[in-house]
Amino acid sequence: MNHRVWRDERFAPPLPPLLWNAVCATYAETQAPYASVLSAYLGVATTAVQSFVRVKCPTGPTCPVNGWFVFMAGSGERKSSAINAATSSIKEFDRKERRLAEAAHQEYSVKTKIWEKSEKRRLEESNSSTRESSEGIEVENNEGVKRPPSPPKPEKPLFFNLLQENLTPEALYEILDRNVPSILIRSAEGGLVFRSPLFKKNPQILASAWSGEDIGNSRATRKPKKDIYIEDPKLSLLIGVQKEIFFDSFRNNVSLMQNGGLLARMLICESEAKRGYRTAGPPPPTDAAEKFHERISQILSTDRALLKNPYEIEFEPWAASAIQRYYWDTEQGQLPGGPFFEIPEAASRTAEIACRLAAVFQFFEHGPSPVSSKNAERGVEFGNWYLTEHLRLFGPQPTAPQ
C-alpha cells in the first residue's frame, strides 16, 4: 500500500461510518491535519471499548484491545485542538464519575469504620467468652452459643478516571489502584511524555500494561508507601508530538524504546502540514461529532459486570481468514530481502494490532458480537498502514546517489 496515497486527505479510509463522519466533521472544524484527527478518534474509540472487551486472535492468544496512538505534527498544527475535540465525551464522562465517586467514597469510608469497630468488638467478645481447657483445647463459652460469622467487609467502590496527563510511575500505580484500572494518557506535548521517568526508567511497566499483564509497584524506581498489585490493567496512549522532538527523545533512549519493544507497539503516523492552506469561516453544520460522542457515552455506560469478566470477541470464519492471511504476509515479509526484514519487532506485532483494531470497530458499531469480515478487513488496512508508516519512518533510509 502506498502511504502517500493513504495520507492524502481525499482518500476515504475504511472506517465505520459513524467514526468516519466524526473524523471528517472535526477535520473540517479544527482544520488540523487529517492524520492527527484520525489518530485522536481512534484513540478515543479504543479507550471507550478497552474496559469491556478482550479479543481472541485467530493467530494467537486472547489479548486486550488497548492501543498506543502517536501522531507527529509540526508546531502550530493544532495538535491540542484535535485531541480536545475527540476526547470531549470522555472528559464529560470523567466529570460525572468524579461526582459519583466523591459521594460513594464517603459512604464507603463510613461503612468501613463501622465494620472495623464491629469486627473489633466481635473479636474482643469472642476472646473473653472462650477459655482453654486443661488439655489445651479451646471450647465454646458457657452458654454454648456460637458466635455469628464476621460480616463481609464493605466492597471498595470503583469508578472511571480515564483521562490522564503525563504520569510518574508512582502516580500511575495510584491511579490504577484507586479507580477502574483503565486509562488514556493523552498529551499534545509528547516530548514531556517520552522523556518522563515512566518511559525512560520504567518501560517494563508500559510493556506489561500493553499486553494486559498484571503489574505491581515493586518494580517502581522509588520505594512505595504501600504494595500495590494491579490485575489486568488497560492503558492506551494518545500523543501528539513534533517529529524532531520525537526523534530526539528516541535517540536519547534508543535501547529502551527500540530494544525494549515500546516503539514497535506504537501506532505512529506523520501528519502532513496544513499551515498555509487553512481557510477562514465556519465549517458546514453537522451533528456527526455529536453522534460519535453519544456512542462513546453509551459504550462507557455498559454493564459494569463486564469490568470483572470482559466480553471475549471472536472472529467469524471469513474474518479469521483475513487476519490469518495478513499474518502470513507480514511473517514472510520478515525473511531476508523481504519488505519488513529491517523492522521485525513491528512486523511481528502488526497482526495482533489488526485484531485489536478490528475488535474495537466491531464493538463500536455493534456491541458484543463476533468480528465481521468487513471490520476484519478494516483492521488489516489500518495495521498495514501503520506498518508502512513505521517502515518509512524507522526503516532503512534511501541514500543519495554519489
Side-chain angles (χ1 to χ4, degrees), residues 376-392:
E377 291 291 348
R378 287 169 175 158
V380 168
E381 288 284 342
F382 272 96
N384 192 42
W385 177 55
Y386 278 115
L387 184 61
T388 303
E389 281 286 87
H390 191 102
L391 177 63
R392 185 178 66 85

Side-chain angles (χ1 to χ4, degrees), residues 5 7 10-12 21 30-31 61 71 103 131 140 150 159 177 222 224 241 260 263 334 345 357 370 385 390 394:
V5 173
R7 292 169 63 214
R10 295 166 295 181
F11 182 79
N21 291 337
T30 64
Q31 298 193 64
F71 62 91
R131 60 184 176 83
E140 290 181 345
S150 174
F159 292 87
D177 180 57
R222 297 180 182 177
V241 61
L263 188 65
Q334 299 173 52
E345 298 87 357
L357 291 170
W385 177 55
H390 191 102
F394 306 106

